[in-house]
Amino acid sequence: MKNNLRNRICFYTAAMIIMGFLGCKDFLDAKPDKKLVIPTQLKDYQALLDNYPVINNSDPGSGEISSDDYYLTDIDYNALSQDYFKRMHIWEKEGLFNETTNDWSQTYRPVYVANTILQALEENNENLKNSINYNDIKGQALFVRARSFYQIVGLWGKAYDDKTANSDLGIVLRLNDDFNEKSKRSSLMESYQQILNDLQSSISLLPSAVVSPIRPNKAAAYGLTARLYLSMRIYDKARLYADSCLQLNNVLLDFNTLSKTATYPFAKFNKEVIYESMIPVPAPINNSRAKLSLNLYNSYETNDLRKTLFYRPNGDGSHRFKGSYEAGANLFSGIATDEIYLIRAECAIRANDLASGLKDLNDLLKTRYSKVNGTTTYVDFQTTDQKAALSKVLLERRKELLMRGLRWLDVKRLNKEGAGINLLRNVNGISYSLPANDNRFALEIPQSLLKITSIEQNPR
């Protein structure tokens, strides 16, 4: 290529911005000259994968908007300027997304980047395969694609069920960079299998250590695979991959070392972060509006430091969230060791290995409670009752992973286990509900996409 690296990357970034404005048409209508966009050297591919705004800073917020860890006052709800946010908040069946830029189009952008790189690596295999960074870059691209597919299927697919996964609608599996390929939805089983295939391949290619957590390593791929198997309710494999992740990184923060009075007490890239990504906070769950569930707040014990490190009083008896690992209002949605401890603990308890599961749970919680003279005030939770142990670990999962983009997926999964979690809101004197296993747990496909494709809408 005649242009230097900077010009190529700038052109590619501009193309990505244009695709953002095109919204869902980015895979269908745009016909870029690939010779102008695709770099040819591994360092160029790495530069594309290091494009933080596209790869790490575009996670969808629809699940958090739809979940039950917060509420809006009537004043804050009525003040929302975007009607589609209002509709999403009360679980309307239609009209949930902006016509141009929305979670669907934003979450597919990293897929396009990954596919561009994977196809270029394949086409230039003979020239590049012996290079020292070839496997790492290929592994990163596979991980990026798998993570985006997982987010998409988590929002627009039903909760995974072995009995119906072959017939349930999955997602559009884009596996190349051909804009003109006809869009069609795969089955839910095919969608999950593709994600697993990408992750399995990435594990064998990624290094154990990376220069920054914006790049995935083996621990990140193990952790994401554990999260995926958890959502599929394949608990033995989720436990296995969580264990593999923690074998590589099991570091936990001591919350006693953090400032209770800090506006945002957690540092970005803190030592629990295995892989960095975030949700640019949407208007309904911005901490200036969203009030955290009072029942959830009251579930923390007095000596639990999360009660002061995650919650900031508003002065009217309500609380806002300040516990993001992004050191600000945006929400951390990456992979961190605390989540992996909780996955391994839950799966061990489900296997009736209470000793292992409760050890993981207690090891985590000891770091979350205040100390007196250097000794934690936390008292180990012990029981021989599997049901009580499972109830405890699921409660702690909700308390620990607050505002991480995980609650919506957990509600869907747990309702398949018979949890019967019905979501309720009261807005302007009207009660709204989302019963367990309702079709609306698979969000509406953006209407703008349906106008230009023949893919099926989710049942409403």
Side-chain angles (χ1 to χ4, degrees):
M1 293 180 69
K2 295 182 180 180
N3 292 335
N4 60 29
L5 173 61
R6 180 180 179 184
N7 288 339
R8 287 195 297 269
I9 300 304
C10 287
F11 187 94
Y12 185 88
T13 302
M16 294 301 296
I17 293 171
I18 292 170
M19 290 193 308
F21 285 115
L22 287 171
C24 296
K25 293 185 179 182
D26 54 3
F27 291 107
L28 300 159
D29 293 350
K31 298 179 177 63
D33 183 346
K34 290 172 62 177
K35 293 180 181 179
L36 294 175
V37 178
I38 301 176
T40 59
Q41 299 182 44
L42 290 177
K43 63 180 180 179
D44 300 354
Y45 304 148
Q46 186 62 70
L48 296 178
L49 288 165
D50 288 342
N51 186 352
Y52 185 88
V54 171
I55 303 300
N56 306 83
N57 185 19
S58 59
D59 288 358
S62 301
E64 281 298 332
I65 295 173
S66 304
S67 72
D68 59 343
D69 283 341
Y70 80 103
Y71 66 93
L72 295 176
T73 65
D74 290 347
I75 291 174
D76 285 329
Y77 175 84
N78 294 330
L80 290 172
S81 58
Q82 301 94 339
D83 184 65
Y84 56 90
F85 279 153
K86 292 181 179 179
R87 298 175 67 80
M88 186 178 293
H89 180 71
I90 57 174
W91 310 300
E92 290 282 7
K93 294 182 178 181
E94 299 175 342
L96 306 185
F97 293 100
N98 188 350
E99 286 288 297
T100 53
T101 302
N102 52 55
D103 275 352
W104 178 283
S105 62
Q106 291 293 101
T107 311
Y108 267 107
R109 290 174 73 200
V111 174
Y112 176 75
V113 175
N115 285 338
T116 298
I117 292 169
L118 290 168
Q119 190 161 324
L121 289 175
E122 182 65 27
E123 291 172 355
N124 294 287
N125 182 272
E126 291 303 316
N127 296 327
L128 299 174
K129 67 180 180 180
N130 294 321
S131 301
I132 190 170
N133 295 325
Y134 179 89
N135 284 348
D136 182 12
I137 290 170
K138 184 176 181 180
Q140 290 179 59
L142 287 165
F143 176 92
V144 165
R145 185 169 73 183
R147 199 176 74 89
S148 292
F149 280 160
Y150 174 64
Q151 292 173 326
I152 295 163
V153 78
L155 292 178
W156 286 281
K158 291 183 176 180
Y160 190 88
D161 188 330
D162 271 336
K163 299 181 183 67
T164 60
N166 261 326
S167 57
D168 287 339
L169 288 170
I171 63 173
V172 178
L173 292 173
R174 287 288 180 180
L175 303 178
N176 60 61
D177 62 356
D178 183 1
F179 287 95
N180 298 307
E181 182 178 284
K182 185 177 179 180
S183 295
K184 64 176 183 178
R185 296 184 70 174
S186 303
S187 72
L188 198 62
M189 182 170 286
E190 290 170 333
S191 301
Y192 274 87
Q193 190 57 56
Q194 181 62 52
I195 299 167
L196 287 171
N197 290 345
D198 281 352
L199 286 173
Q200 290 292 337
S201 297
S202 74
I203 287 170
S204 64
L205 298 170
L206 290 169
S208 296
V210 288
V211 297
S212 167
I214 71 168
R215 296 182 185 176
N217 57 13
K218 283 188 187 297
Y222 281 131
L224 184 57
T225 307
R227 185 189 284 181
L228 182 71
Y229 274 124
L230 187 77
S231 67
M232 297 173 75
R233 297 183 295 134
I234 303 177
Y235 296 115
D236 57 340
K237 290 188 177 181
R239 181 184 182 184
L240 176 66
Y241 281 93
D243 182 70
S244 294
C245 177
L246 292 173
Q247 293 297 323
L248 295 174
N249 186 347
N250 63 2
V251 177
L252 291 170
L253 283 169
D254 181 354
F255 280 16
N256 287 272
T257 64
L258 305 174
S259 170
K260 297 179 183 179
T261 59
T263 303
Y264 296 106
F266 295 93
K268 194 179 180 74
F269 304 147
N270 69 66
K271 64 182 181 180
E272 284 190 3
V273 174
I274 297 172
Y275 180 76
E276 155 65 21
S277 66
M278 74 177 187
I279 300 169
V281 63
I285 53 173
N286 188 295
N287 61 18
S288 65
R289 295 184 181 87
K291 305 329 190 253
L292 296 173
S293 164
L294 183 60
N295 287 337
L296 183 59
Y297 173 78
N298 288 334
S299 70
Y300 295 83
E301 296 179 356
T302 302
N303 292 341
D304 191 334
L305 293 170
R306 294 173 297 184
K307 198 167 188 174
T308 52
L309 294 173
F310 288 0
Y311 294 79
R312 185 166 76 220
N314 286 319
D316 60 357
S318 68
H319 296 81
R320 65 180 63 190
F321 183 63
K322 68 169 187 174
S324 174
Y325 281 12
E326 292 300 323
N330 290 322
L331 303 179
F332 175 76
S333 54
I335 300 166
T337 53
D338 58 344
E339 177 193 355
I340 307 304
Y341 270 91
L342 287 163
I343 291 176
R344 192 169 71 175
E346 178 185 340
C347 295
I349 290 169
R350 288 186 182 277
N352 210 27
D353 183 359
L354 270 59
S356 297
L358 293 179
K359 182 182 186 307
D360 275 341
L361 180 63
N362 290 328
D363 285 348
L364 171 66
L365 293 180
K366 285 174 185 175
T367 67
R368 274 42 183 167
Y369 276 63
S370 60
K371 292 179 178 178
V372 176
N373 297 324
T375 302
T376 182
T377 57
Y378 176 72
V379 178
D380 282 357
F381 178 81
Q382 298 294 341
T383 184
T384 58
D385 183 335
Q386 184 187 25
K387 185 176 180 180
L390 184 59
S391 178
K392 173 67 172 177
V393 76
L394 291 176
L395 175 60
E396 293 302 333
R397 177 178 173 85
R398 187 178 180 192
K399 289 157 65 175
E400 176 72 19
L401 304 179
L402 179 62
M403 291 287 171
R404 295 272 192 96
L406 296 172
R407 175 61 179 169
W408 184 248
L409 301 176
D410 278 349
V411 171
K412 292 170 70 167
R413 167 176 71 94
L414 294 173
N415 278 338
K416 277 292 179 180
E417 296 284 359
I421 303 171
N422 304 307
L423 307 189
L424 303 171
R425 299 207 202 282
N426 191 287
V427 178
N428 292 326
I430 301 173
S431 295
Y432 299 90
S433 66
L434 185 64
N437 300 311
D438 190 278
N439 282 337
R440 287 171 291 169
F441 276 103
L443 298 183
E444 173 205 29
I445 302 289
Q447 291 293 331
S448 55
L449 180 65
L450 300 183
K451 292 176 183 177
I452 56 175
T453 72
S454 57
I455 69 172
E456 298 172 74
Q457 178 61 277
N458 283 323
R460 312 315 294 153

